[in-house]
Amino acid sequence: MKMVSKVAALAAVSMIALNATAAVAEEISEFRIGILGGENASDRLRAYECLEEKTADLLGVDVKLFAPADYNGVIEGLLGGNLDMAWLGASSYAKVYLTDPEAVDPVLVKVNVDGGYGYYSIGFARTDSEINSLDDMKGKVFGFGDPNSTSGYLIPSIAIPQEGYSMAAGEYFGDVVFTGGHEQTIVAVSNGDIDAGVTWADGLGEWEDGYNSGALRKASDAGLVDMTELRQIWQSPVIPEGPIVMSRGLPEDVKIKMTGLLASMNSMDPDCAYNIAAGETKGFMPISHEAYVNIIEARKAKN
């Protein structure tokens, strides 16, 4: 089915869900949303406030937001049945699936302004560092984000060695470190604490804006960095955007309503959609497990 058809079909579901009574199925008394790491907790919670309010209105139950310090907090929350929904990176979804294939179902994926759902791991350094590519990184400090991040670790840790640069600390790079997340990597490079690092972006739009969506866009919007002081030095092959997942144990009507709410968000409340999606997008479209088979295999091989 073409994307347009999928989105049209889901829009119909959305209207049914949003016009339904707010009296939710009696099986749940609250709805718990996990927010993956990558920036400080207060900013993550603030970005999701609008979704928290709309979910409470739609489901008629208390909604709780959880913003753990790292990716693993959300992963364990889903595996332990303590979270009902989260937007995961592809590698985080792979970890959940490899640990328990019955834990969650992927339901939606962010759609870029060009209609695709791919994005990139972006390597970057300061413009005043004289680092223009990985060739200039010998003996310098390279930063990953989180071990469970797709663009902040999994894909660059595979792709960069394939290009001939060992990721073992001291073999080519002077050191290879984990910063803790995307925002931390961006700030660490901007402040000169590390020489270069990787983060995520859709690769569309202008570098000076932090591209259209992604961690660089959020950092630029927040005033954490001046993008003219950073330059791109590397880009990965295209990566499938991670899925919004829901616990398989949720009542079906709850899944339908929440899928409809998120699928409608871009047209219903563009500002809320911008906050949730970390920039300009076309919203969310349906996605299935099959889109992540290659990432699951890559994660399995890496482990």
Side-chain angles (χ1 to χ4, degrees):
M1 185 185 296
K2 292 182 179 179
M3 183 190 302
V4 173
S5 301
K6 285 184 176 181
V7 173
L10 191 54
V13 174
S14 304
M15 292 307 298
I16 294 172
L18 294 175
N19 289 330
T21 174
V24 72
E26 295 178 356
E27 290 89 337
I28 68 168
S29 58
E30 64 179 11
F31 193 81
R32 303 156 300 179
I33 302 173
I35 310 174
L36 210 61
E39 60 181 324
N40 72 74
S42 60
D43 286 346
R44 283 181 281 156
L45 292 169
R46 191 178 305 112
Y48 271 68
E49 280 179 357
C50 58
L51 179 60
E52 178 184 16
E53 294 171 1
K54 293 178 189 301
T55 300
D57 290 343
L58 177 64
L59 300 183
V61 298
D62 289 336
V63 177
K64 295 181 178 179
L65 302 179
F66 295 89
D70 59 16
Y71 283 42
N72 205 51
V74 172
I75 292 169
E76 292 302 324
L78 291 167
L79 289 170
N82 298 314
L83 293 176
D84 299 306
M85 187 182 85
W87 181 15
L88 297 177
S91 182
S92 295
Y93 170 67
K95 181 173 181 178
V96 172
Y97 179 81
L98 289 169
T99 305
D100 181 2
E102 305 299 319
V104 301
D105 289 312
V107 292
L108 294 169
V109 69
K110 175 177 74 70
V111 183
N112 296 326
V113 294
D114 67 348
Y117 66 94
Y119 74 109
Y120 301 92
S121 175
I122 301 292
F124 62 102
R126 287 185 57 88
T127 54
D128 60 6
S129 66
E130 299 185 354
I131 298 171
N132 297 292
S133 71
L134 293 179
D135 286 342
D136 302 318
M137 280 294 294
K138 185 173 178 60
K140 299 185 182 298
V141 180
F142 185 93
F144 287 127
D146 186 289
N148 287 305
S149 172
T150 317
S151 56
Y153 175 64
L154 178 65
I155 295 303
S157 74
I158 294 171
I160 290 175
Q162 289 175 342
E163 296 180 20
Y165 308 96
S166 170
M167 296 305 307
E171 288 190 4
Y172 178 73
F173 301 103
D175 199 6
V176 178
V177 300
F178 281 100
T179 65
H182 289 292
E183 182 179 288
Q184 293 93 323
T185 302
I186 294 168
V187 171
V189 173
S190 180
N191 289 345
D193 298 327
I194 59 177
D195 296 297
V198 283
T199 189
W200 76 280
D202 62 6
L204 303 171
E206 300 299 324
W207 172 260
E208 289 76 13
D209 297 325
Y211 290 124
N212 283 347
S213 67
L216 289 168
R217 181 60 175 256
K218 292 206 77 170
S220 178
D221 284 353
L224 293 176
V225 295
D226 179 349
M227 289 299 297
T228 64
E229 296 179 355
L230 301 176
R231 72 158 58 96
Q232 182 170 324
I233 65 169
W234 180 79
Q235 181 170 304
S236 73
V238 67
I239 305 167
E241 181 63 76
I244 292 177
V245 302
M246 294 191 197
S247 170
R248 192 167 288 189
L250 284 170
E252 285 303 314
D253 70 319
V254 174
K255 295 179 186 177
I256 291 171
K257 287 178 179 179
M258 287 307 299
T259 301
L261 174 65
L262 288 160
S264 302
M265 193 68 75
N266 215 45
S267 57
M268 182 173 62
D269 189 337
D271 289 339
C272 185
Y274 186 100
N275 289 342
I276 296 168
E280 298 173 5
T281 72
K282 280 192 172 181
F284 296 92
M285 77 170 197
I287 199 72
S288 68
H289 168 78
E290 284 67 32
Y292 302 102
V293 171
N294 288 343
I295 297 295
I296 290 169
E297 291 304 313
R299 173 122 195 180
K300 193 186 300 184
K302 187 72 178 176
N303 290 344

